[in-house]
Amino acid sequence: MLFSTRVRRIAVAALTSLALLGWGAQATATAAERNGDGAWNLSETMPQDMRDFVTTYYPDGPPQDIRARGSIGEACTGKLYQGIPLPIGVNPSVRKATLFTYWNASTGTSCALMDNNTGGAKYMVLQLCANSFPSGTNQPCITDTGNFSQYAGEVKLYATDHASICDPVWAYMRDSAGKVLVNYRTNVGGCH
């Protein structure tokens, strides 16, 4: 786990250095405008306080699970719709986790990732379900559960799963003593 964290930091630092040297098409974009590995692609509808949070606390872009350990094993793509420090209402500098939700309109995929910000392994559950699906069928859900020191997820639904921007997401975390640290429900695009 520590090795992969170091590798991730080295890879992000290398990409950032290349961008600063002018290599790559995105070299002049700000952190909030960049797209691709190690950069943000923020939704135009993301509230300003969320924009400020993600670009302040994750200045090099979204966390990437380079080991492809998630339920699907693919990185989230598309636009970031939410970056939420959890539990809700806590000062972001002392958050336990950060929930990231993505919607890719071009491929019809929804995705979520929960970053563990505690510095140690915690029991985590991240679940993404289809908001709507044909009657007579089971609701498609993807769940990543376990003791993770870095991430829960990525969990992703595809167009064939009836994915939508309003797909519900559940983020849960507890410590080894069973104390619930995070229990939060939202949807991918902040639908009401």
Side-chain angles (χ1 to χ4, degrees):
M1 298 284 180
L2 184 57
F3 174 74
S4 64
T5 300
R6 287 184 183 151
V7 169
R8 178 178 58 174
R9 287 183 183 148
I10 291 168
V12 168
L15 288 172
T16 303
S17 297
L18 289 173
L20 290 173
L21 291 171
W23 295 32
Q26 306 294 337
T28 59
T30 66
E33 297 167 332
R34 291 179 290 166
N35 187 8
D37 289 337
W40 289 114
N41 182 11
L42 303 179
S43 163
E44 299 81 14
T45 62
M46 179 183 275
Q48 188 61 48
D49 61 336
M50 275 190 198
R51 285 177 180 277
D52 294 344
F53 166 72
V54 296
T55 57
T56 299
Y57 287 91
Y58 295 88
D60 295 323
Q64 297 293 319
D65 192 347
I66 61 172
R67 296 176 334 275
R69 177 204 45 75
S71 295
I72 298 299
E74 298 175 4
C76 292
T77 61
K79 293 198 179 232
L80 177 70
Y81 272 79
Q82 296 189 82
I84 306 168
L86 297 173
I88 289 295
V90 71
N91 181 318
S93 65
V94 295
R95 68 195 182 282
K96 303 296 183 194
T98 305
L99 177 63
F100 297 98
T101 63
Y102 295 82
W103 170 247
N104 189 327
S106 65
T107 61
T109 56
S110 58
C111 191
L113 170 77
M114 183 168 52
D115 192 17
N116 178 347
N117 303 125
T118 66
K122 300 290 182 267
Y123 177 78
M124 299 169 70
V125 177
L126 183 61
Q127 183 176 65
L128 174 65
C129 296
N131 184 50
S132 61
F133 49 95
S135 64
T137 63
N138 291 328
Q139 182 180 26
C141 291
I142 302 295
T143 306
D144 195 16
T145 305
N147 288 302
F148 303 123
S149 60
Q150 294 181 330
Y151 312 91
E154 296 87 9
V155 289
K156 185 183 279 192
L157 289 174
Y158 297 88
T160 55
D161 300 315
H162 308 283
S164 80
I165 195 169
C166 294
D167 289 343
V169 179
W170 178 44
Y172 177 86
M173 176 190 280
R174 72 174 185 240
D175 64 18
S176 59
K179 179 182 178 189
V180 175
L181 305 174
V182 170
N183 188 1
Y184 183 72
R185 293 180 188 273
T186 188
N187 54 60
V188 170
C191 305
H192 299 286

Short mmCIF file of all heavy atoms in Angstrom, two decimals, residues 31-32 34-35 39-47 50-51 53-55 58 61-63 76-84 98-104 111-113 165 188-190:
data_model
loop_
_atom_site.label_atom_id
_atom_site.label_comp_id
_atom_site.label_asym_id
_atom_site.label_seq_id
_atom_site.Cartn_x
_atom_site.Cartn_y
_atom_site.Cartn_z
N ALA A 31 -5.52 23.95 -12.98
CA ALA A 31 -5.84 22.63 -12.40
C ALA A 31 -7.31 22.32 -12.55
O ALA A 31 -7.69 21.18 -12.77
CB ALA A 31 -5.43 22.60 -10.93
N ALA A 32 -8.19 23.32 -12.42
CA ALA A 32 -9.62 23.08 -12.51
C ALA A 32 -10.09 22.85 -13.95
O ALA A 32 -11.15 22.31 -14.16
CB ALA A 32 -10.39 24.26 -11.92
N ARG A 34 -8.04 21.34 -16.49
CA ARG A 34 -7.35 20.24 -17.17
C ARG A 34 -8.21 19.00 -17.20
O ARG A 34 -9.10 18.81 -16.40
CB ARG A 34 -6.02 19.94 -16.48
CG ARG A 34 -5.01 21.05 -16.67
CD ARG A 34 -3.75 20.73 -15.96
NE ARG A 34 -4.00 20.82 -14.54
CZ ARG A 34 -3.18 20.35 -13.62
NH1 ARG A 34 -2.08 19.74 -13.94
NH2 ARG A 34 -3.46 20.47 -12.35
N ASN A 35 -7.90 18.12 -18.15
CA ASN A 35 -8.61 16.87 -18.30
C ASN A 35 -7.59 15.77 -18.56
O ASN A 35 -6.56 16.01 -19.14
CB ASN A 35 -9.59 16.96 -19.46
CG ASN A 35 -10.47 15.73 -19.54
OD1 ASN A 35 -10.46 14.89 -18.67
ND2 ASN A 35 -11.24 15.64 -20.60
N ALA A 39 -5.48 15.31 -13.57
CA ALA A 39 -6.06 16.63 -13.73
C ALA A 39 -7.57 16.56 -13.57
O ALA A 39 -8.18 15.52 -13.72
CB ALA A 39 -5.70 17.19 -15.10
N TRP A 40 -8.16 17.71 -13.30
CA TRP A 40 -9.60 17.79 -13.10
C TRP A 40 -10.33 18.09 -14.39
O TRP A 40 -9.84 18.81 -15.25
CB TRP A 40 -9.93 18.88 -12.09
CG TRP A 40 -9.55 18.53 -10.70
CD1 TRP A 40 -8.59 19.12 -9.94
CD2 TRP A 40 -10.10 17.49 -9.90
NE1 TRP A 40 -8.51 18.51 -8.72
CE2 TRP A 40 -9.42 17.50 -8.67
CE3 TRP A 40 -11.08 16.53 -10.11
CZ2 TRP A 40 -9.71 16.60 -7.65
CZ3 TRP A 40 -11.37 15.64 -9.09
CH2 TRP A 40 -10.68 15.69 -7.88
N ASN A 41 -11.55 17.59 -14.50
CA ASN A 41 -12.50 17.92 -15.56
C ASN A 41 -13.81 18.19 -14.82
O ASN A 41 -14.63 17.30 -14.67
CB ASN A 41 -12.62 16.78 -16.56
CG ASN A 41 -13.56 17.10 -17.70
OD1 ASN A 41 -13.97 18.25 -17.88
ND2 ASN A 41 -13.91 16.10 -18.47
N LEU A 42 -13.98 19.41 -14.33
CA LEU A 42 -15.10 19.74 -13.46
C LEU A 42 -16.36 20.06 -14.25
O LEU A 42 -16.31 20.73 -15.29
CB LEU A 42 -14.75 20.95 -12.58
CG LEU A 42 -13.50 20.80 -11.71
CD1 LEU A 42 -13.26 22.07 -10.91
CD2 LEU A 42 -13.62 19.61 -10.78
N SER A 43 -17.49 19.61 -13.72
CA SER A 43 -18.78 19.93 -14.32
C SER A 43 -19.03 21.43 -14.22
O SER A 43 -18.70 22.07 -13.21
CB SER A 43 -19.89 19.18 -13.57
OG SER A 43 -21.15 19.74 -13.85
N GLU A 44 -19.65 21.97 -15.25
CA GLU A 44 -19.99 23.40 -15.24
C GLU A 44 -21.00 23.72 -14.14
O GLU A 44 -21.11 24.86 -13.70
CB GLU A 44 -20.57 23.82 -16.60
CG GLU A 44 -19.64 23.65 -17.77
CD GLU A 44 -19.58 22.21 -18.29
OE1 GLU A 44 -20.44 21.37 -17.94
OE2 GLU A 44 -18.63 21.92 -19.04
N THR A 45 -21.76 22.71 -13.70
CA THR A 45 -22.79 22.94 -12.68
C THR A 45 -22.29 22.72 -11.25
O THR A 45 -23.05 22.89 -10.31
CB THR A 45 -24.00 22.02 -12.93
OG1 THR A 45 -23.58 20.65 -12.82
CG2 THR A 45 -24.62 22.27 -14.29
N MET A 46 -21.01 22.36 -11.11
CA MET A 46 -20.47 22.13 -9.76
C MET A 46 -20.48 23.45 -8.98
O MET A 46 -19.98 24.46 -9.46
CB MET A 46 -19.05 21.57 -9.81
CG MET A 46 -18.45 21.33 -8.42
SD MET A 46 -16.74 20.76 -8.49
CE MET A 46 -17.01 19.02 -8.70
N PRO A 47 -21.03 23.43 -7.75
CA PRO A 47 -21.02 24.65 -6.93
C PRO A 47 -19.60 25.15 -6.65
O PRO A 47 -18.67 24.34 -6.55
CB PRO A 47 -21.71 24.22 -5.63
CG PRO A 47 -22.46 22.98 -5.98
CD PRO A 47 -21.70 22.33 -7.10
N MET A 50 -17.55 23.55 -3.82
CA MET A 50 -16.96 22.25 -4.16
C MET A 50 -15.75 22.42 -5.06
O MET A 50 -14.75 21.73 -4.88
CB MET A 50 -17.99 21.36 -4.86
CG MET A 50 -18.88 20.60 -3.94
SD MET A 50 -19.82 19.38 -4.88
CE MET A 50 -21.11 19.06 -3.71
N ARG A 51 -15.82 23.34 -6.03
CA ARG A 51 -14.68 23.62 -6.89
C ARG A 51 -13.47 24.03 -6.05
O ARG A 51 -12.37 23.54 -6.26
CB ARG A 51 -14.99 24.76 -7.87
CG ARG A 51 -15.87 24.40 -8.99
CD ARG A 51 -16.17 25.65 -9.85
NE ARG A 51 -17.03 25.28 -10.93
CZ ARG A 51 -16.62 24.74 -12.08
NH1 ARG A 51 -15.34 24.55 -12.28
NH2 ARG A 51 -17.48 24.40 -13.00
N PHE A 53 -12.94 23.42 -2.89
CA PHE A 53 -12.48 22.30 -2.08
C PHE A 53 -11.58 21.36 -2.88
O PHE A 53 -10.46 21.07 -2.48
CB PHE A 53 -13.66 21.52 -1.49
CG PHE A 53 -13.27 20.18 -0.93
CD1 PHE A 53 -12.55 20.09 0.25
CD2 PHE A 53 -13.59 19.01 -1.61
CE1 PHE A 53 -12.16 18.86 0.76
CE2 PHE A 53 -13.21 17.78 -1.11
CZ PHE A 53 -12.49 17.70 0.07
N VAL A 54 -12.07 20.89 -4.05
CA VAL A 54 -11.29 19.89 -4.79
C VAL A 54 -9.99 20.45 -5.34
O VAL A 54 -8.97 19.77 -5.34
CB VAL A 54 -12.10 19.19 -5.91
CG1 VAL A 54 -13.25 18.40 -5.33
CG2 VAL A 54 -12.57 20.15 -6.96
N THR A 55 -9.98 21.71 -5.77
CA THR A 55 -8.74 22.25 -6.33
C THR A 55 -7.76 22.68 -5.24
O THR A 55 -6.56 22.77 -5.49
CB THR A 55 -9.02 23.43 -7.29
OG1 THR A 55 -9.75 24.44 -6.60
CG2 THR A 55 -9.80 22.95 -8.50
N TYR A 58 -6.91 18.79 -3.50
CA TYR A 58 -6.40 17.86 -4.50
C TYR A 58 -5.85 18.67 -5.68
O TYR A 58 -6.35 18.57 -6.80
CB TYR A 58 -7.50 16.90 -4.97
CG TYR A 58 -8.00 15.99 -3.87
CD1 TYR A 58 -9.03 16.37 -3.02
CD2 TYR A 58 -7.42 14.74 -3.68
CE1 TYR A 58 -9.47 15.53 -2.00
CE2 TYR A 58 -7.86 13.89 -2.67
CZ TYR A 58 -8.89 14.30 -1.84
OH TYR A 58 -9.33 13.45 -0.85
N GLY A 61 -5.08 17.01 -9.10
CA GLY A 61 -6.14 16.27 -9.77
C GLY A 61 -6.67 15.15 -8.91
O GLY A 61 -6.30 15.00 -7.75
N PRO A 62 -7.55 14.33 -9.48
CA PRO A 62 -8.21 13.28 -8.71
C PRO A 62 -7.27 12.15 -8.33
O PRO A 62 -6.30 11.88 -9.02
CB PRO A 62 -9.29 12.77 -9.68
CG PRO A 62 -8.77 13.11 -11.02
CD PRO A 62 -7.97 14.37 -10.87
N PRO A 63 -7.57 11.48 -7.21
CA PRO A 63 -6.79 10.30 -6.86
C PRO A 63 -7.01 9.22 -7.91
O PRO A 63 -8.11 9.03 -8.38
CB PRO A 63 -7.34 9.87 -5.50
CG PRO A 63 -8.60 10.60 -5.30
CD PRO A 63 -8.62 11.76 -6.25
N CYS A 76 -12.49 6.29 -13.07
CA CYS A 76 -13.66 7.09 -13.39
C CYS A 76 -13.29 8.06 -14.51
O CYS A 76 -12.20 8.63 -14.50
CB CYS A 76 -14.12 7.88 -12.17
SG CYS A 76 -14.79 6.86 -10.84
N THR A 77 -14.20 8.23 -15.45
CA THR A 77 -13.98 9.18 -16.54
C THR A 77 -15.17 10.12 -16.63
O THR A 77 -16.17 9.92 -15.96
CB THR A 77 -13.82 8.44 -17.88
OG1 THR A 77 -15.02 7.70 -18.15
CG2 THR A 77 -12.62 7.51 -17.88
N GLY A 78 -15.04 11.13 -17.46
CA GLY A 78 -16.12 12.09 -17.61
C GLY A 78 -15.89 13.29 -16.72
O GLY A 78 -14.78 13.56 -16.28
N LYS A 79 -16.95 13.99 -16.43
CA LYS A 79 -16.86 15.20 -15.60
C LYS A 79 -17.10 14.88 -14.14
O LYS A 79 -17.96 14.07 -13.80
CB LYS A 79 -17.87 16.23 -16.08
CG LYS A 79 -17.54 16.75 -17.46
CD LYS A 79 -18.24 18.03 -17.74
CE LYS A 79 -17.84 18.48 -19.13
NZ LYS A 79 -17.38 19.81 -19.16
N LEU A 80 -16.32 15.53 -13.30
CA LEU A 80 -16.53 15.42 -11.85
C LEU A 80 -17.71 16.30 -11.49
O LEU A 80 -17.70 17.51 -11.75
CB LEU A 80 -15.29 15.86 -11.09
CG LEU A 80 -15.42 15.84 -9.57
CD1 LEU A 80 -15.48 14.40 -9.06
CD2 LEU A 80 -14.28 16.58 -8.91
N TYR A 81 -18.74 15.71 -10.92
CA TYR A 81 -19.92 16.47 -10.51
C TYR A 81 -19.90 16.84 -9.04
O TYR A 81 -20.45 17.85 -8.65
CB TYR A 81 -21.20 15.70 -10.87
CG TYR A 81 -21.65 16.02 -12.27
CD1 TYR A 81 -21.03 15.42 -13.35
CD2 TYR A 81 -22.63 16.96 -12.50
CE1 TYR A 81 -21.40 15.74 -14.65
CE2 TYR A 81 -23.01 17.29 -13.79
CZ TYR A 81 -22.39 16.68 -14.86
OH TYR A 81 -22.76 17.01 -16.14
N GLN A 82 -19.30 15.97 -8.21
CA GLN A 82 -19.24 16.28 -6.79
C GLN A 82 -17.91 15.83 -6.20
O GLN A 82 -17.39 14.78 -6.56
CB GLN A 82 -20.37 15.57 -6.03
CG GLN A 82 -21.77 16.02 -6.44
CD GLN A 82 -22.81 15.47 -5.51
OE1 GLN A 82 -23.05 16.03 -4.45
NE2 GLN A 82 -23.43 14.37 -5.90
N GLY A 83 -17.38 16.64 -5.31
CA GLY A 83 -16.23 16.33 -4.49
C GLY A 83 -16.61 16.74 -3.09
O GLY A 83 -16.63 17.93 -2.77
N ILE A 84 -16.97 15.77 -2.24
CA ILE A 84 -17.61 16.07 -0.96
C ILE A 84 -16.74 15.63 0.20
O ILE A 84 -16.46 14.43 0.35
CB ILE A 84 -18.97 15.36 -0.86
CG1 ILE A 84 -19.85 15.72 -2.07
CG2 ILE A 84 -19.68 15.70 0.44
CD1 ILE A 84 -21.08 14.84 -2.21
N THR A 98 -13.28 11.59 1.31
CA THR A 98 -13.77 12.48 0.26
C THR A 98 -14.46 11.61 -0.77
O THR A 98 -13.89 10.63 -1.25
CB THR A 98 -12.63 13.26 -0.42
OG1 THR A 98 -11.89 13.97 0.59
CG2 THR A 98 -13.18 14.24 -1.44
N LEU A 99 -15.71 11.97 -1.09
CA LEU A 99 -16.49 11.25 -2.09
C LEU A 99 -16.42 12.02 -3.40
O LEU A 99 -16.70 13.22 -3.45
CB LEU A 99 -17.94 11.10 -1.64
CG LEU A 99 -18.88 10.43 -2.63
CD1 LEU A 99 -18.47 8.98 -2.89
CD2 LEU A 99 -20.32 10.49 -2.11
N PHE A 100 -16.03 11.33 -4.48
CA PHE A 100 -16.00 11.90 -5.81
C PHE A 100 -17.04 11.17 -6.67
O PHE A 100 -17.08 9.94 -6.67
CB PHE A 100 -14.63 11.70 -6.46
CG PHE A 100 -13.51 12.41 -5.74
CD1 PHE A 100 -12.71 11.72 -4.85
CD2 PHE A 100 -13.28 13.76 -5.95
CE1 PHE A 100 -11.67 12.37 -4.19
CE2 PHE A 100 -12.25 14.41 -5.29
CZ PHE A 100 -11.45 13.72 -4.40
N THR A 101 -17.89 11.93 -7.38
CA THR A 101 -18.87 11.33 -8.28
C THR A 101 -18.69 11.91 -9.68
O THR A 101 -18.47 13.11 -9.84
CB THR A 101 -20.32 11.55 -7.81
OG1 THR A 101 -20.63 12.95 -7.81
CG2 THR A 101 -20.53 10.97 -6.42
N TYR A 102 -18.78 11.04 -10.68
CA TYR A 102 -18.54 11.41 -12.07
C TYR A 102 -19.70 10.96 -12.95
O TYR A 102 -20.30 9.92 -12.72
CB TYR A 102 -17.30 10.69 -12.60
CG TYR A 102 -16.00 11.07 -11.95
CD1 TYR A 102 -15.62 10.50 -10.74
CD2 TYR A 102 -15.13 11.96 -12.56
CE1 TYR A 102 -14.40 10.82 -10.16
CE2 TYR A 102 -13.90 12.28 -11.99
CZ TYR A 102 -13.56 11.70 -10.79
OH TYR A 102 -12.35 12.01 -10.21
N TRP A 103 -19.94 11.73 -14.00
CA TRP A 103 -20.88 11.35 -15.04
C TRP A 103 -20.20 11.58 -16.39
O TRP A 103 -19.64 12.66 -16.63
CB TRP A 103 -22.17 12.16 -14.96
CG TRP A 103 -23.07 11.97 -16.14
CD1 TRP A 103 -23.39 12.90 -17.09
CD2 TRP A 103 -23.76 10.78 -16.53
NE1 TRP A 103 -24.23 12.37 -18.02
CE2 TRP A 103 -24.48 11.05 -17.70
CE3 TRP A 103 -23.83 9.49 -15.99
CZ2 TRP A 103 -25.26 10.09 -18.35
CZ3 TRP A 103 -24.61 8.54 -16.63
CH2 TRP A 103 -25.32 8.84 -17.79
N ASN A 104 -20.23 10.56 -17.25
CA ASN A 104 -19.66 10.67 -18.58
C ASN A 104 -20.82 10.60 -19.57
O ASN A 104 -21.32 9.51 -19.87
CB ASN A 104 -18.64 9.56 -18.84
CG ASN A 104 -17.88 9.76 -20.12
OD1 ASN A 104 -18.40 10.30 -21.09
ND2 ASN A 104 -16.64 9.32 -20.12
N CYS A 111 -19.99 6.97 -12.11
CA CYS A 111 -18.87 6.39 -11.38
C CYS A 111 -18.68 7.12 -10.05
O CYS A 111 -19.02 8.30 -9.93
CB CYS A 111 -17.61 6.51 -12.24
SG CYS A 111 -16.19 5.56 -11.63
N ALA A 112 -18.14 6.41 -9.06
CA ALA A 112 -17.86 7.02 -7.76
C ALA A 112 -16.57 6.42 -7.19
O ALA A 112 -16.21 5.28 -7.47
CB ALA A 112 -19.01 6.79 -6.79
N LEU A 113 -15.90 7.23 -6.38
CA LEU A 113 -14.67 6.84 -5.70
C LEU A 113 -14.68 7.52 -4.34
O LEU A 113 -15.02 8.70 -4.24
CB LEU A 113 -13.46 7.32 -6.50
CG LEU A 113 -12.09 7.22 -5.83
CD1 LEU A 113 -11.62 5.77 -5.85
CD2 LEU A 113 -11.08 8.09 -6.55
N ILE A 165 -27.25 10.24 -14.60
CA ILE A 165 -26.61 11.26 -13.78
C ILE A 165 -27.22 11.30 -12.37
O ILE A 165 -26.61 11.83 -11.44
CB ILE A 165 -26.67 12.63 -14.47
CG1 ILE A 165 -25.70 13.60 -13.81
CG2 ILE A 165 -28.09 13.17 -14.50
CD1 ILE A 165 -25.50 14.89 -14.59
N VAL A 188 -25.08 10.85 -8.16
CA VAL A 188 -23.91 11.21 -8.95
C VAL A 188 -23.87 12.70 -9.28
O VAL A 188 -22.90 13.38 -9.07
CB VAL A 188 -23.84 10.36 -10.24
CG1 VAL A 188 -22.79 10.88 -11.20
CG2 VAL A 188 -23.56 8.91 -9.87
N GLY A 189 -24.99 13.22 -9.80
CA GLY A 189 -25.00 14.60 -10.28
C GLY A 189 -25.62 15.62 -9.36
O GLY A 189 -25.87 16.75 -9.78
N GLY A 190 -25.86 15.26 -8.12
CA GLY A 190 -26.47 16.21 -7.20
C GLY A 190 -27.94 16.46 -7.50
O GLY A 190 -28.48 17.51 -7.17
#
